[in-house]
Amino acid sequence: MPVVQFVENNTVVLTQLLEKPPSENENIKIKGRKGRVSTIKITDDNVVYVYVIFDKVVKNNPANDPKKKKR
C-alpha cells in the first residue's frame, strides 16, 4: 500500500495509507474542507504526493443596515 500525502501550499495536510490514490481533477473532502486534486507526483519509494486546491470559505457577514442599532 502506498503512503499518500495530501499537500496544500507546500504544507502536508494529511498522510494516509491508501490502496488506490485519488485521480486528478477529483473532488475530495479532507477535514471538513472541500477541494479538488490538482496534480499527483509518484516517487520511487512508495510515496504519492497529492497536491490539493481547497475551495475558499465564504463567511456570511450581516449586511450593515443603518436602520438597526448596535447593541
Side-chain angles (χ1 to χ4, degrees):
M1 271 197 287
V3 176
V4 179
Q5 291 190 346
F6 294 94
V7 179
E8 179 199 18
N9 296 332
N10 296 327
T11 304
V12 176
V13 179
L14 179 67
T15 303
Q16 285 184 327
L17 285 173
L18 295 176
E19 292 181 10
K20 180 183 162 194
S23 59
E24 287 190 25
N25 295 326
E26 182 178 340
N27 291 329
I28 58 171
K29 188 174 181 182
I30 298 174
K31 296 185 178 181
R33 297 168 60 190
K34 294 180 183 178
R36 180 176 292 259
V37 176
S38 62
T39 57
I40 296 174
K41 181 181 175 185
I42 300 172
T43 60
D44 294 334
D45 51 332
N46 217 12
V47 177
V48 178
Y49 293 102
V50 177
Y51 294 94
V52 179
I53 298 173
F54 287 111
D55 297 336
K56 300 294 180 189
V57 177
V58 178
K59 294 183 180 179
N60 290 335
N61 290 332
N64 291 335
D65 192 7
K67 295 177 184 178
K68 295 185 178 181
K69 294 182 180 178
K70 291 185 181 179
R71 294 183 183 196

